[in-house]
Amino acid sequence: MKANPWITGMLAVTACTGCMHQKASAPALKAKATGTAIVVVSGDKQLGGIGARLSQPLVLQVNDDQGNAVTGAKVDLTGPRGVVLDPAEVLTDDNGQATIKVTLSGIPGRYEVTASSQDAHGKPFTLSVAEFAAGYQQEVGYEVNEKYCSRCHNPDSTVEQVSNYDNLAVKPHAFTSGDIYNKLSESDLSNIIEHGGPAMNRSALMPPYEWTLNKAEIQAMIAYIRLVSDPPYMAPGVVYGKH
Amino acid sequence: MQTHKTGIISSIKAFVRDPFRMFGIVSVVLLLLLTIAPAKDYFSQWHGYQRQYLRFIQNRGDAVTLRRHFEGGIQQIWIPQLGVVDRCQTCHLGLTEASLADVKEEPFRAHPVMPHKLTEFGCVICHRGQGAATTVKEAHHSEMAGEEPILPARYMESSCGQCHQEPLEGTPKLNKGRVILSRYGCVNCHSIVLPDGTKMEASDNPPPLTHIADKTTREWIYAWLKDPTSYSASATMPNFNLSDADASDISAFLIANSVPQPGDTAEVSAESHGPAPDPSAGASLYGESFCASCHATQNAAGNLVGGDLGPELTNVGTKVKPGWLVAWMRDPQKYDPKTPMPQYRWSDAQLKLISAYVQSKTNPDLLANVHLAAATPAQIAHGKKLVIEYGCASCHEIPGVPKSDNFGPNLSRIGSKPVVQLVFLPGMEHTLPAYLAQKIRQPRSFGSSFRMPRYNFTASQVDEVTTALLALTDRSFSLPANLQLAAVHETNYRPAGQAGQIMTSLNCLSCHRINGRGGDMAPDLSWEGTSVQRQWLDDFLKNPNTLRPALIRRMPRFNLTDSERTILTDYMMTVYQTAAFQRDEMPLTGYPPELVEKGRQLFYSKYACQSCHIVNPNEDKGYIGPTLTKVGARLNAAWIFHYLKDPQALRPGTIEPNQHMSDDDARALTAFLMAQKTGAGQGAKR
């Protein structure tokens, strides 16, 4: 089937006027007030599926130098390619807060969203928050963690799931503790997960999972640990920033 | 004109007369023609990507390896059995290069880890699009009949669901979406036939409306119909956007149509006499009966606390009539034979206490503004017409209104519906996922004549349902048999005989699974008779105390009579056995102290069981697993031994790590655990 050039041309023209129209109809927001710092209220470090909207919005607050919330300050949001921030510019509400819906890109990984605003002298100040997009493998890892590991490794209790952390004589680390986990190589991690604490001269309170989880699940768990670690994990031997 | 023509003719004549000139010109033309094909190739889009890739890999640390792996020209995966001809790798050149996993931009990124090989299924089966196309536009964005655009990443799990009808660990969204389809009763109106020929079943237990006037008032029905969430935030019934008049007529019809059932209100008189029950005693009976295992209520902070097997009870006093409530609590199956609610065997005094407590959960504002004038016959008739039109009988039993089987469109292949057949709203993205999501979110936005009601779904629930629907493709029906992985279906197991009758009235299967049928809130009982000792089971049924202190859902006490208990215990001890080993192959007592001591050491050092279990309540703290303080009086030795050897074989899916124990270690630990009979932590001092 061949597209009729006339129709295509006219469509293109309509589309163009359409987009110009849209640009024109969204007047740039003007700040009504200024602050000196942006802080996170909630919604950072969420784990979401690839390409999906995060279940909680990102809520930020602009404060003045006294630490009081500022209403009407303008916040601009930028993110890496593929991340959709809705809205991308916003004025803080009566509580000095801005609520942004975040949709992550279709590629698994860590995404930094940057919020910026300007103080009374026009000097910009910014804040970066991280969000995580889980692909198939990280999703499996997340499920493994929820089912087997988090009760010991996550110190926070919920009504549905009480943490066992406080009961352990030797304390494990939350999987987000990058400074611990980033030092462990892939083989260290699979070693301790498969064979338990004693395999690495650690406590037997860390059980072996070799006969409970399969190799793919253990790999997935490691991918999950690498994804959520903070500071972020940098794989050795990969060339960064050259493209 | 004439001169023009003669001019051309004469020049052709001159040309023919000069063979050298002719040869020269013809060869130039031929040469030019020959270069068209390669030039077209060279300037084609995919060739551009290949050149770009070669430049891109030059900057990488492993440029040499990447260059060696590179093959130019059209690349293709061909799988005749599946009808796959995918040329995506012509441009997506890094898909199999693990070192390109950090690349953030397409098309050169490595494919993220997935459970299948690229060559096994190709690309299009999961990503949709046109595999054979060689331009981005045709491959990704075609909307033409018989072609599909690329599936957005957020719905990717739907593709797994074409083969996998069973839940997978890596597809939480798909699993949840499928649960919603049955839990919210979507399949009551829309039938969904799976590739294995079975129908997706609803699991929402909508109550019958046969005797509804015994249970509630017309005013409550009216308010509920207008907005189910105003009564209970967690309502699963959708909103039909009814006008005031329509809601009033439907409520009039349902009340007029209700058939009174003897016994439904018998308790009213007895209840209205007597002294007013003490509310705090009612609250503690509610607590002891573990009603919250299944029913949620809103706490002061507005959060729902409790299970979702039964309806939310926050405002239930505003809904139910006191007489009906007492009759219901005495024997729920009398009113609704299919209810999952157990018959508690409460005494009259207890019934009075608990029903008064439940009745006190009210919200007077709910019905404050509902004033309905007595209904005319015309209104009742109109109400019936609406009930038929809206398909109420697809979910609820309503006397005189037959259930229509295919009320809504069949959705068995909705995931392959061509875009050209869809009607989009202005400004909507022209894709099937966008259409489905909008249809789920705001069904009436497509026109007021649509009858589909609106559910109160969150954004992620909409995504989940859309994912589950997108899995229902034409392809899922045409797959080779070895790729059609069937859903796990419930068996139709029913416990037999006298014990079976007791278990049916207790609705044990609402929470426990037995022989492939039942709920998953409580342990599977299929092998309970091999697992536990008779005396313990008898005591437990008399007074169920929890084994896992950290659990909020617990086994309630059903006030069984001695003879009921004996029947149940005998039945479970005889019938619910595993064939894998003999219950009595190891003794309950008499293990040598050295063996017990060895077991103690293994427990605390080598296997560090205390991280999850408590044997000595003064020392151990772990509470993920069941308390083991009296385990020697609860479990059979043979069960412990075999369980230690392979926990998942006896309790599939248990989180107890399989430690691959030797027989010697397992025997010693069994001896140690069997010594724990009285809760004093025998031999457990460290």
Side-chain angles (χ1 to χ4, degrees):
Chain A
M1 202 181 112
K2 267 218 184 100
N4 181 331
W6 274 107
I7 296 188
T8 332
M10 286 188 29
L11 277 178
V13 169
T14 337
C16 257
T17 33
C19 59
M20 276 154 66
H21 180 73
Q22 213 167 32
K23 272 227 178 85
S25 73
L29 285 175
K30 269 195 93 78
K32 297 194 187 110
T34 54
T36 55
I38 307 178
V39 293
V40 179
V41 178
S42 66
D44 62 333
K45 294 190 184 157
Q46 288 184 73
L47 185 80
I50 43 172
R53 159 121 41 103
L54 292 174
S55 59
Q56 302 300 317
L58 175 62
V59 183
L60 302 173
Q61 182 173 322
V62 176
N63 289 343
D64 61 15
D65 47 8
Q66 308 294 310
N68 298 322
V70 178
T71 299
K74 181 167 175 259
V75 183
D76 289 294
L77 293 128
T78 49
R81 227 173 105 148
V83 173
V84 180
L85 300 159
D86 173 27
E89 50 171 26
V90 56
L91 296 185
T92 51
D93 63 11
D94 291 349
N95 303 318
Q97 296 183 350
T99 304
I100 302 108
K101 295 180 206 144
V102 183
T103 306
L104 297 178
S105 128
I107 297 171
R110 176 194 175 98
Y111 290 88
E112 300 273 346
V113 172
T114 306
S116 57
S117 188
Q118 289 186 348
D119 69 7
H121 314 292
K123 208 170 128 255
F125 53 93
T126 62
L127 174 82
S128 273
V129 292
E131 307 287 6
F132 308 109
Y136 162 78
Q137 205 186 18
Q138 293 83 2
E139 201 84 76
V140 172
Y142 171 84
E143 298 288 326
V144 168
N145 176 41
E146 283 293 294
K147 181 166 176 192
Y148 297 96
C149 322
S150 78
R151 296 168 202 236
C152 287
H153 279 262
N154 179 358
D156 303 329
S157 285
T158 62
V159 190
E160 292 285 329
Q161 196 170 53
V162 179
S163 171
N164 195 39
Y165 180 85
D166 289 340
N167 304 321
L168 296 169
V170 183
K171 302 295 181 204
H173 297 94
F175 293 119
T176 45
S177 335
D179 25 346
I180 302 293
Y181 289 93
N182 292 349
K183 284 193 215 119
L184 297 171
S185 67
E186 303 272 306
S187 60
D188 287 345
L189 284 174
S190 56
N191 199 10
I192 194 166
I193 299 173
E194 279 176 27
H195 309 306
M200 301 254 300
N201 285 326
R202 306 264 210 118
S203 161
L205 292 171
M206 168 65 204
Y209 281 94
E210 182 179 4
W211 301 286
T212 310
L213 301 175
N214 61 34
K215 277 256 181 318
E217 286 170 321
I218 292 173
Q219 274 324 107
M221 185 60 208
I222 295 174
Y224 170 78
I225 295 176
R226 296 309 196 202
L227 174 65
V228 297
S229 99
D230 203 27
Y233 174 72
M234 299 285 192
V238 174
V239 195
Y240 287 95
K242 271 203 171 181
H243 43 267
Chain B
M1 197 62 177
Q2 191 62 31
T3 44
H4 213 110
K5 212 172 187 176
T6 40
I8 291 174
I9 292 171
S10 63
S11 65
I12 288 177
K13 276 181 186 159
F15 186 71
V16 175
R17 258 181 256 126
D18 184 347
F20 282 106
R21 208 135 141 223
M22 185 175 89
F23 182 72
I25 290 185
V26 168
S27 27
V28 166
V29 169
L30 278 176
L31 257 177
L32 278 178
L33 278 174
L34 276 176
T35 53
I36 287 185
K40 211 175 129 200
D41 231 27
Y42 185 81
F43 291 111
S44 69
Q45 192 180 26
W46 60 263
H47 212 283
Y49 279 121
Q50 296 197 339
R51 281 192 309 255
Q52 202 181 326
Y53 179 73
L54 289 173
R55 282 197 302 275
F56 164 78
I57 57 175
Q58 274 171 16
N59 295 328
R60 307 281 307 184
D62 51 352
V64 181
T65 327
L66 291 172
R67 181 74 189 77
R68 205 173 52 241
H69 292 176
F70 172 80
E71 267 182 77
I74 300 258
Q75 302 297 313
Q76 173 170 300
I77 297 176
W78 183 44
I79 311 170
Q81 310 86 286
L82 297 175
V84 166
V85 182
D86 286 354
R87 298 181 173 158
C88 315
Q89 277 181 291
T90 308
C91 299
H92 292 272
L93 289 152
L95 286 185
T96 52
E97 299 293 353
S99 77
L100 298 182
D102 64 307
V103 178
K104 280 274 188 273
E105 279 156 34
E106 295 296 8
F108 302 145
R109 190 172 187 277
H111 195 285
V113 178
M114 59 172 166
H116 297 292
K117 282 206 199 72
L118 214 58
T119 44
E120 235 179 318
F121 291 99
C123 312
V124 163
I125 288 193
C126 298
H127 289 274
R128 306 198 175 189
Q130 283 55 249
T134 51
T135 67
V136 176
K137 192 159 173 282
E138 268 180 56
H140 291 190
H141 304 299
S142 173
E143 283 179 20
M144 292 196 298
E147 305 199 337
E148 340 176 76
I150 288 282
L151 184 70
R154 65 205 279 206
Y155 303 115
M156 199 53 66
E157 290 174 18
S158 69
S159 303
C160 313
Q162 298 178 97
C163 300
H164 294 276
Q165 304 299 336
E166 83 283 20
L168 295 172
E169 212 173 24
T171 60
K173 241 192 215 177
L174 172 67
N175 306 348
K176 284 185 205 148
R178 284 175 170 164
V179 169
I180 293 177
L181 288 178
S182 45
R183 191 170 149 61
Y184 284 80
C186 310
V187 293
N188 283 328
C189 288
H190 300 279
S191 67
I192 296 181
V193 180
L194 301 175
D196 63 4
T198 56
K199 259 184 96 171
M200 204 183 250
E201 300 280 350
S203 64
D204 57 339
N205 293 312
L209 306 182
T210 320
H211 318 295
I212 184 147
D214 296 348
K215 175 179 178 174
T216 187
T217 61
R218 183 173 161 213
E219 283 70 21
W220 181 84
I221 300 178
Y222 172 88
W224 169 259
L225 285 172
K226 286 290 293 174
D227 179 9
T229 55
S230 68
Y231 168 74
S232 113
S234 60
T236 52
M237 167 144 154
N239 188 330
F240 284 83
N241 275 5
L242 296 169
S243 68
D244 293 357
D246 285 357
S248 161
D249 291 356
I250 294 179
S251 64
F253 166 69
L254 290 177
I255 293 290
N257 194 48
S258 165
V259 187
Q261 172 163 258
D264 268 2
T265 52
E267 209 57 40
V268 183
S269 49
E271 212 265 342
S272 52
H273 299 315
D278 169 11
S280 72
S284 43
L285 184 55
Y286 184 90
E288 283 163 31
S289 304
F290 291 108
C291 306
S293 294
C294 299
H295 296 282
T297 45
Q298 242 175 49
N299 64 11
N303 297 323
L304 278 183
V305 181
D308 60 2
L309 197 56
E312 179 189 334
L313 298 181
T314 314
N315 300 323
V316 66
T318 309
K319 168 182 174 182
V320 297
K321 295 182 173 174
W324 175 87
L325 183 60
V326 176
W328 165 264
M329 300 250 230
R330 175 171 288 149
D331 183 2
Q333 287 169 7
K334 184 149 184 257
Y335 182 82
D336 176 5
K338 287 195 223 136
T339 179
M341 165 116 170
Q343 186 188 1
Y344 265 89
R345 293 147 164 81
W346 280 306
S347 69
D348 276 5
Q350 285 176 314
L351 271 174
K352 195 181 265 185
L353 267 183
I354 192 136
S355 61
Y357 173 72
V358 171
Q359 194 82 52
S360 72
K361 296 178 174 297
T362 55
N363 176 3
D365 296 345
L366 204 65
L367 304 182
N369 295 321
V370 182
H371 305 290
L372 301 171
T376 64
Q379 285 170 330
I380 293 175
H382 184 237
K384 178 167 186 174
K385 193 169 149 265
L386 291 170
V387 162
I388 296 170
E389 268 173 29
Y390 282 111
C392 307
S394 299
C395 297
H396 298 281
E397 214 176 281
I398 306 173
V401 184
K403 175 181 162 65
S404 68
D405 253 348
N406 295 310
F407 189 74
N410 184 311
L411 298 181
S412 310
R413 290 166 184 255
I414 183 75
S416 288
K417 193 152 175 134
V419 177
V420 286
Q421 286 180 19
L422 303 173
V423 178
F424 292 98
L425 300 176
M428 234 177 108
E429 199 191 329
H430 279 215
T431 62
L432 178 61
Y435 173 83
L436 292 176
Q438 178 65 14
K439 195 83 198 188
I440 296 161
R441 220 180 284 125
Q442 289 290 350
R444 302 281 175 87
S445 62
F446 290 89
S448 52
S449 63
F450 284 82
R451 289 166 304 178
M452 169 148 164
R454 179 171 49 83
Y455 285 91
N456 205 21
F457 288 141
T458 61
S460 28
Q461 282 176 317
V462 172
D463 261 10
E464 288 155 12
V465 182
T466 309
T467 303
L469 292 177
L470 286 168
L472 305 169
T473 59
D474 286 341
R475 193 193 295 279
S476 64
F477 285 85
S478 64
L479 288 164
N482 67 325
L483 292 181
Q484 298 195 1
L485 303 161
V488 190
H489 291 292
E490 296 259 286
T491 62
N492 51 10
Y493 170 74
R494 294 188 78 86
Q498 247 182 326
Q501 272 169 18
I502 301 172
M503 288 172 74
T504 306
S505 81
L506 294 173
N507 263 327
C508 305
L509 291 176
S510 293
C511 302
H512 293 278
R513 204 170 177 76
I514 304 178
N515 297 335
R517 174 151 179 258
D520 60 1
M521 190 196 293
D524 189 312
L525 299 181
S526 309
W527 298 329
E528 188 70 0
T530 317
S531 165
V532 301
Q533 298 174 22
R534 192 181 191 293
Q535 187 56 48
W536 177 84
L537 182 58
D538 196 55
D539 290 346
F540 184 74
L541 289 175
K542 195 185 295 174
N543 191 11
N545 47 7
T546 180
L547 298 168
R548 291 177 182 74
L551 284 191
I552 58 160
R553 308 211 201 295
R554 295 187 188 173
M555 165 100 167
R557 181 165 51 197
F558 291 115
N559 313 306
L560 299 168
T561 63
D562 286 353
S563 83
E564 280 181 322
R565 233 176 41 239
T566 311
I567 294 172
L568 279 182
T569 313
D570 285 345
Y571 184 80
M572 292 170 75
M573 292 306 292
T574 341
V575 178
Y576 295 153
Q577 301 250 12
T578 170
F581 56 90
Q582 290 298 312
R583 169 168 70 208
D584 303 322
E585 70 187 33
M586 285 170 81
L588 296 181
T589 49
Y591 292 94
E594 317 81 73
L595 197 60
V596 173
E597 172 56 21
K598 183 180 168 208
R600 185 185 76 82
Q601 284 172 11
L602 290 173
F603 185 95
Y604 284 108
S605 53
K606 182 167 176 191
Y607 297 110
C609 313
Q610 74 278 17
S611 57
C612 300
H613 297 280
I614 295 170
V615 161
N616 179 347
N618 304 325
E619 299 268 346
D620 313 334
K621 291 195 242 157
Y623 53 42
I624 298 184
T627 307
L628 300 178
T629 45
K630 297 178 187 169
V631 67
R634 175 163 72 90
L635 297 179
N636 289 307
W639 177 270
I640 296 183
F641 176 81
H642 289 279
Y643 184 80
L644 288 171
K645 297 268 305 170
D646 185 354
Q648 283 73 23
L650 293 185
R651 291 232 175 273
T654 177
I655 63 169
E656 166 108 41
N658 181 337
Q659 305 256 15
H660 214 60
M661 250 175 229
S662 67
D663 282 2
D664 281 350
D665 281 7
R667 206 169 292 123
L669 273 168
T670 305
F672 171 65
L673 291 175
M674 288 311 288
Q676 312 307 319
K677 294 219 193 292
T678 61
Q682 285 90 338
K685 274 181 231 93
R686 279 198 250 183

